[in-house]
Amino acid sequence: DVKVTQSSRYLVKRTGEKVFLECVQDMDHENMFWYRQDPGLGLRLIYFSYDVKMKEKGDIPEGYSVSREKKERFSLILESASTNQTSMYLCASRPRGGANVLTFGAGSRLTVL
Amino acid sequence: AQSVTQLDSQVPVFEEAPVELRCNYSSSVSVYLFWYVQYPNQGLQLLLKYLSGSTLVESINGFEAEFNKSQTSFHLRKPSVHISDTAEYFCAVSVGYSTLTFGKGTMLLVSP
């Protein structure tokens, strides 16, 4: 089975800190995604990547950046964390072809104080 | 651009009762439709999908959904729910291999 691993399940950071959320998948998927999940708002796409060193903005990219230096790893970066970035962050991946089915990680719950 | 509306934020139901979780979408072109489930403290898992062909699709744990093009709906149903079905359910839509657009989710609460 495809596995998407988010290394940090829970993080607590202070306003203004730089935050890295890491995501690794082990099935050679070309496409990787970062969503944030908030109660009553569902999942909103932050950034995605179709290949190494490629990135595309999603619906809510402001305040975030990403890095994809290796195919299996997709990092979400909060340059200067703010309290309104307190949320659950979900990473997902899928292969280039196929049925557009995403495999999700377990999520990283970030609290910014 | 496509959009998804899940009409109920929360659906309480008793164990062994039937349930329907509603999903409507908006798109000017043909779409792919999905239901994902999120159990507590976990990521999302695919429950079922409609890509083409038969409009009725089923999952391995007794859920089914029917694609209704005229009503632009993809409602999820189960004839008899279990406590273990308690979870949040997300409907999603894509146009081809474009990025998925998710609904806001419906929390299914099954009580004894």
Side-chain angles (χ1 to χ4, degrees):
Chain A
D1 280 350
V2 177
K3 200 169 184 180
V4 178
T5 302
Q6 295 182 235
S7 53
S8 301
R9 291 296 309 272
Y10 301 94
L11 304 94
V12 179
K13 299 292 182 181
R14 296 202 175 276
T15 302
E17 279 192 80
K18 190 169 186 176
V19 181
F20 292 87
L21 300 180
E22 304 289 345
C23 175
V24 177
Q25 50 93 4
D26 65 359
M27 280 297 288
D28 206 36
H29 284 177
E30 288 80 12
N31 302 297
M32 296 188 74
F33 305 82
W34 276 106
Y35 290 87
R36 70 176 277 176
Q37 180 182 9
D38 300 288
L41 296 179
L43 276 72
R44 294 178 290 167
L45 182 62
I46 305 171
Y47 267 97
F48 59 103
S49 169
Y50 286 131
D51 208 339
V52 176
K53 296 192 184 296
M54 293 180 63
K55 59 184 178 183
E56 299 284 344
K57 292 180 180 179
D59 300 317
I60 52 163
E62 297 79 18
Y64 303 94
S65 62
V66 291
S67 172
R68 184 122 183 247
E69 296 297 318
K70 293 185 177 181
K71 191 174 186 180
E72 67 270 19
R73 187 180 297 270
F74 192 36
S75 303
L76 181 69
I77 304 156
L78 288 67
E79 294 288 342
S80 177
S82 63
T83 55
N84 63 11
Q85 293 178 310
T86 291
S87 186
M88 171 69 87
Y89 291 88
L90 294 169
C91 177
S93 73
R94 69 167 173 85
R96 179 168 289 141
N100 204 9
V101 173
L102 298 181
T103 300
F104 282 86
S108 298
R109 184 168 295 282
L110 172 67
T111 302
V112 182
L113 302 175
Chain B
Q2 64 269 23
S3 66
V4 177
T5 302
Q6 291 185 245
L7 297 164
D8 305 295
S9 60
Q10 199 164 301
V11 174
V13 64
F14 288 108
E15 194 173 19
E16 298 184 4
V19 70
E20 179 179 80
L21 306 184
R22 296 179 291 170
C23 172
N24 287 89
Y25 69 92
S26 173
S27 173
S28 59
V29 297
S30 296
V31 297
Y32 295 162
L33 292 158
F34 306 82
W35 276 100
Y36 282 81
V37 59
Q38 184 179 33
Y39 298 104
N41 297 315
Q42 296 185 26
L44 278 69
Q45 306 170 32
L46 179 70
L47 190 59
L48 44 76
K49 63 183 183 290
Y50 170 77
L51 305 178
S52 64
S54 172
T55 57
L56 184 65
V57 290
E58 299 177 353
S59 72
I60 58 173
N61 57 354
F63 283 93
E64 65 178 30
E66 185 161 20
F67 170 56
N68 188 318
K69 189 174 182 179
S70 62
Q71 297 187 5
T72 60
S73 68
F74 191 55
H75 300 331
L76 181 70
R77 292 186 286 263
K78 190 171 185 180
S80 177
V81 295
H82 302 289
I83 296 285
S84 59
D85 293 323
T86 294
E88 191 158 21
Y89 293 80
F90 292 91
C91 184
V93 63
S94 71
V95 174
Y97 296 113
S98 68
T99 58
L100 287 176
T101 298
F102 286 86
K104 294 182 179 182
T106 297
M107 179 65 72
L108 176 63
L109 298 167
V110 183
S111 54

